[in-house]
Amino acid sequence: MTDAPPVDPLVIFTPSGRRGRVPAGTPVLTAARQLGVDLDSVCGGRGICSRCQIAPSFGEFSKHGVVSSPEALSEWNRVEQRYKDKRGLIDGRRLGCQATIQGDVVIDVPPESQVHRQIVRKRAEARDITLDPAIRLHFVEVAEPDMHHPSGDLERLCAALAEQWGVEGATATLPLLHRLQKALREGEWKVTAAVHTPAEGAPPRILEVWPGLREKPVWGAAIDLGSTTIACHLANLQTGEVGASGGVMNPQIRFGEDLMSRVSYSMMNPGGAEEMTKAVRKALADLLAETAKEAGAEPADILETVIVCNPVMHHLVLGIDPVELGWAPFALTTSDAISCGAAELSLDIHPDAQVYLLPCIAGHVGADAAAVALSESPHTSEDLVLIVDVGTNAEIQLGDKHRVLACSSPTGPAFEGAQISSGQRAAAGAVERVRIDPATREPRFRIIGQEAWSDEAGFDASRITGICGSGIIEILAEMRMAGVIDEDGVIGSAEQVGSSRCVADGRTWAYVLHDGRAEGGPLVSVTQNDVRAIQLAKAALTAGAQLLMDRMEVETVDRVVLAGAFGAHISPLHALVLGMIPDCAVDKVTSAGNAAGTGARIALLNRGARREIEQVVRRIEKIETAIEPRFQEHFVGAMAIPHKTAAYPQLAKVATLPSVTWGGGGGGGAEGGGRRRRRRG
């Protein structure tokens, strides 16, 4: 009896989710190219350009079913050491052209190593906000010291604030006292004081003093800390204007694409929570510095930060192990709003800067959902509104001025391009819009970075790289409207559909959107597995919404709001065709853009809004999808496109869905099979 041949190592790349087995000894750069991973290199693998830097992740990754150990990569070599000595290399980084794969491994490709870098589409939405910040600047004239009436500089500064501005009972920290005497004397007893008063009647605290009249603005940062992306809006605390916005990928992706994977990583790996906390805090500090630079400011000019995030990110950024969020009853350490110093979170901004985290609603419905509620105000709505914040973990709210319900649905990363054969993050070259002719089944599409469509003059096909989330939703919905896929999501064969774009893919079929292989470009197609991944994601989303409708005892909603950076780019018609949301008139489906970011900005610029949302979240009723008995029933029905049992009369007014069926076996594979259902008369 002969021994079975050894199994090649499994390599998993994040954030793309691409995976595959490669022979032991394969360079990481080679493996990345073979698997279609976006890893840069311009020096031909000679260890000169450093564009192929990668960050291996070690530990037990239960979602992937692998244990990634340091021995999974070859030892550090002299080329890497030479580069580190000359130019520097971040600790933990390796050069993809030098490190070879020796065992199962999880490898993160950082943003700077990606050819097509993620476009974090979280801009600041235009919004009228009543300006009442917690931090105000006060120019004061302070009495000079007098031997006959001895008092300290701080006491005389506080007296001036009380007399000239009505700021009573101000206090200061020890670091401020170190700077106070110098500032007073440089300003000839005239200074500008930054005073933090978190709420009306709360004790004020002096954060900084500058000699004379400070004419430069002071800044506040509103941060939407998502599981996939982090967005930062820097606002002038005196005018409310947004001076700069920035975004980065959340580096925690390498520990798990979804939240439960990160909780699992913390459970399985001693010190895992601390590792993830360190990674996200560094990303926040770097993003704040980068955004400040864009605004023409220094990080020390940022005096306050408001953070909104889901419960797992909430715990990790605070340095709290999220393990209790991994199982029922999903207990938060605290659901109340939190105020702390920026230095406690290792944010390298003003040393006395303050941080405010909005309250969480429940164990799976976090401060980001609270921020959406602050932005969209379902609790004051006259009509029944469904608000869906689409992301790796979708937060859903349903309500009006009488009652508001909320839940969270684990949609996973498929909507954002992960685990899709041609999927990628939103970056230049990604297909974002698709139309398919229902008669010919021929597609036309548009990619990020070009205005022209693929059938128009000036379109450069050589720039196509893959397909992003909004493109995936549109192509599947278009395939359904064109009869390429049936209600169950099965792709028909070329003979059944009448299009050579349907090609055999093992025992199933795939639809080819673009084939650039002859010119050295990519094959961009939709496989049966891709359709299933999107069906699973959208079914979770729809099932969550239907649970809320059950609890509210309604069968329809008056309007739907799509929130989130990704939600802002979803076509309402295509979302309805796919069944991502309950049936609704198309013109009643709108986008709120990055509503969580807007809510964070409202809380940053209006301290009264903080008190408002702290009261509102106590009235929101939380539904836990994980323990609801009807969730699975709704999930199964929502797997169909748009739905197996729910009627979509409003959708039927604007779109015709062919009544076809290609068979549960994927159309019979390359051999054909399946049948066409007769059209209803």
Side-chain angles (χ1 to χ4, degrees), residues 290-502:
E290 181 182 319
T291 311
K293 183 178 180 181
E294 184 182 336
E298 298 293 331
D301 295 328
I302 302 174
L303 295 184
E304 188 171 36
T305 297
V306 169
I307 299 175
V308 302
C309 48
N310 59 59
V312 173
M313 295 309 310
H314 174 276
H315 277 36
L316 286 173
V317 77
L318 290 172
I320 301 169
D321 195 324
V323 63
E324 291 298 329
L325 298 174
W327 47 59
F330 313 109
L332 289 154
T333 299
T334 178
S335 59
D336 287 343
I338 289 179
S339 297
C340 61
E344 295 178 74
L345 303 185
S346 304
L347 302 184
D348 191 15
I349 51 179
H350 189 281
D352 280 341
Q354 299 298 293
V355 175
Y356 175 81
L357 283 85
L358 269 68
C360 291
I361 297 175
H364 282 161
V365 188
D368 49 358
V372 171
L374 182 58
S375 172
E376 299 306 306
S377 300
H379 54 285
T380 64
S381 177
E382 294 290 337
D383 53 5
L384 187 62
V385 57
L386 179 73
I387 305 171
V388 183
D389 192 347
V390 188
T392 306
N393 203 62
E395 283 82 28
I396 308 168
Q397 299 179 50
L398 175 68
D400 56 22
K401 63 182 182 180
H402 302 293
R403 186 185 186 192
V404 179
L405 309 177
C407 74
S408 174
S409 255
T411 52
F415 281 148
E416 296 175 328
Q419 300 173 357
I420 301 296
S421 60
S422 296
Q424 65 167 84
R425 307 291 180 184
V431 174
E432 63 171 345
R433 292 283 178 263
V434 181
R435 299 292 181 268
I436 298 177
D437 188 304
T440 65
R441 277 77 172 187
E442 283 297 300
R444 57 193 296 265
F445 53 87
R446 196 173 72 186
I447 63 175
I448 296 175
Q450 289 193 51
E451 289 298 319
W453 285 70
S454 59
D455 59 348
E456 295 176 344
F459 181 80
D460 184 0
S462 68
R463 294 170 60 185
I464 301 170
T465 56
I467 183 166
C468 68
S470 61
I472 290 166
I473 288 172
E474 291 202 3
I475 190 172
L476 260 63
E478 289 285 328
M479 289 168 70
R480 179 71 184 94
M481 288 189 284
V484 176
I485 57 176
D486 63 16
E487 179 186 65
D488 293 323
V490 178
I491 302 175
S493 67
E495 181 182 2
Q496 291 168 326
V497 174
S499 172
S500 60
R501 288 189 175 272
C502 293

Side-chain angles (χ1 to χ4, degrees), residues 5 52 122 147 230 256 295 370 401 408 413 426 536 542 578-579:
C52 65
K122 294 193 175 183
M147 289 179 58
I230 309 172
K401 63 182 182 180
S408 174
L536 290 168
T542 306
L578 200 58

Side-chain angles (χ1 to χ4, degrees), residues 470-594:
S470 61
I472 290 166
I473 288 172
E474 291 202 3
I475 190 172
L476 260 63
E478 289 285 328
M479 289 168 70
R480 179 71 184 94
M481 288 189 284
V484 176
I485 57 176
D486 63 16
E487 179 186 65
D488 293 323
V490 178
I491 302 175
S493 67
E495 181 182 2
Q496 291 168 326
V497 174
S499 172
S500 60
R501 288 189 175 272
C502 293
V503 300
D505 182 34
R507 295 179 58 84
T508 58
W509 297 85
Y511 178 81
V512 176
L513 182 67
H514 169 76
D515 189 350
R517 290 176 294 181
E519 294 78 32
L523 171 68
V524 180
S525 63
V526 176
T527 68
Q528 190 64 67
N529 285 338
D530 296 339
V531 179
R532 289 289 178 257
I534 295 298
Q535 284 179 283
L536 290 168
K538 75 97 177 179
L541 190 66
T542 306
Q546 288 183 315
L547 279 180
L548 298 188
M549 293 168 69
D550 287 349
R551 186 65 62 91
M552 194 71 81
E553 298 182 342
V554 298
E555 294 185 358
T556 60
V557 298
D558 295 320
R559 59 189 177 94
V560 176
V561 176
L562 297 173
F566 175 54
H569 292 83
I570 297 174
S571 155
L573 172 62
H574 293 90
L576 282 165
V577 170
L578 200 58
M580 289 178 63
I581 52 178
D583 186 52
C584 186
V586 175
D587 62 353
K588 294 295 184 180
V589 182
T590 59
S591 168
N594 182 20

Side-chain angles (χ1 to χ4, degrees), residues 16 86 101 105 143 168 182 218 237 249 285 303 334 346 365 375 419 461 472 530 555 617 626 632 637 659 669:
S16 67
K86 288 187 176 181
I101 297 166
V105 66
E168 301 281 353
K182 182 179 179 182
V218 292
L237 292 178
M249 296 291 289
L303 295 184
T334 178
S346 304
V365 188
S375 172
Q419 300 173 357
I472 290 166
D530 296 339
E555 294 185 358
V617 296
Q632 189 63 27
S659 180

Side-chain angles (χ1 to χ4, degrees), residues 34-386:
Q34 290 174 354
L35 296 173
V37 174
D38 193 15
L39 181 58
D40 200 1
S41 177
V42 297
C43 71
R46 292 176 290 178
I48 299 173
C49 71
S50 84
R51 298 284 186 89
C52 65
Q53 288 185 35
I54 51 101
S57 297
F58 303 125
E60 184 174 347
F61 296 84
S62 56
K63 177 181 177 180
H64 300 308
V66 301
V67 175
S68 176
S69 67
E71 293 74 30
L73 291 182
S74 58
E75 293 183 0
W76 180 264
N77 68 19
R78 59 182 180 80
V79 175
E80 292 172 299
Q81 187 62 49
R82 182 187 65 197
Y83 184 86
K84 183 171 185 176
D85 292 342
K86 288 187 176 181
R87 297 190 183 180
L89 196 63
I90 296 173
D91 288 344
R93 292 275 181 92
R94 298 291 301 273
L95 296 182
C97 62
Q98 301 299 311
T100 62
I101 297 166
Q102 305 296 327
D104 294 351
V105 66
V106 176
I107 294 174
D108 182 57
V109 181
E112 59 269 29
S113 297
Q114 298 172 21
V115 181
H116 309 287
R117 297 187 183 181
Q118 163 84 11
I119 297 173
V120 181
R121 304 200 263 194
K122 294 193 175 183
R123 61 184 176 86
E125 308 296 329
R127 190 65 170 265
D128 290 330
I129 301 173
T130 302
L131 196 61
D132 181 23
I135 292 176
R136 293 181 180 273
L137 299 188
H138 301 294
F139 177 73
V140 291
E141 297 186 29
V142 180
E144 296 185 34
D146 186 341
M147 289 179 58
H148 302 290
H149 302 283
S151 63
D153 285 347
L154 176 61
E155 287 69 33
R156 282 180 280 103
L157 171 60
C158 291
L161 284 168
E163 180 183 345
Q164 297 168 35
W165 291 97
V167 177
E168 301 281 353
T171 61
T173 61
L174 179 60
L176 178 81
L177 297 182
H178 296 167
R179 305 186 292 272
L180 178 60
Q181 291 196 317
K182 182 179 179 182
L184 283 168
R185 285 152 183 80
E186 283 186 6
E188 297 179 347
W189 309 104
K190 298 179 180 67
V191 294
T192 302
V195 180
H196 179 257
T197 311
E200 192 71 39
R205 185 163 66 165
I206 305 167
L207 300 185
E208 187 57 275
V209 288
W210 296 276
L213 176 65
R214 178 180 170 91
E215 297 182 358
K216 290 175 58 180
V218 292
W219 299 90
I223 294 175
D224 177 10
L225 174 53
S227 52
T228 301
T229 57
I230 309 172
C232 173
H233 306 300
L234 208 61
N236 184 323
L237 292 178
Q238 293 153 281
T239 66
E241 295 178 0
V242 175
S245 296
V248 295
M249 296 291 289
N250 188 331
Q252 288 182 346
I253 286 176
R254 67 178 182 266
F255 304 106
E257 292 168 331
D258 57 77
L259 298 175
M260 286 303 101
S261 293
R262 295 180 203 176
V263 174
S264 175
Y265 185 85
S266 175
M267 292 177 180
M268 300 292 186
N269 300 279
E274 291 88 344
E275 193 178 357
M276 288 186 283
T277 293
K278 182 179 178 181
V280 77
R281 287 181 176 179
K282 182 180 186 304
L284 286 175
D286 291 346
L287 179 58
L288 285 164
E290 181 182 319
T291 311
K293 183 178 180 181
E294 184 182 336
E298 298 293 331
D301 295 328
I302 302 174
L303 295 184
E304 188 171 36
T305 297
V306 169
I307 299 175
V308 302
C309 48
N310 59 59
V312 173
M313 295 309 310
H314 174 276
H315 277 36
L316 286 173
V317 77
L318 290 172
I320 301 169
D321 195 324
V323 63
E324 291 298 329
L325 298 174
W327 47 59
F330 313 109
L332 289 154
T333 299
T334 178
S335 59
D336 287 343
I338 289 179
S339 297
C340 61
E344 295 178 74
L345 303 185
S346 304
L347 302 184
D348 191 15
I349 51 179
H350 189 281
D352 280 341
Q354 299 298 293
V355 175
Y356 175 81
L357 283 85
L358 269 68
C360 291
I361 297 175
H364 282 161
V365 188
D368 49 358
V372 171
L374 182 58
S375 172
E376 299 306 306
S377 300
H379 54 285
T380 64
S381 177
E382 294 290 337
D383 53 5
L384 187 62
V385 57
L386 179 73

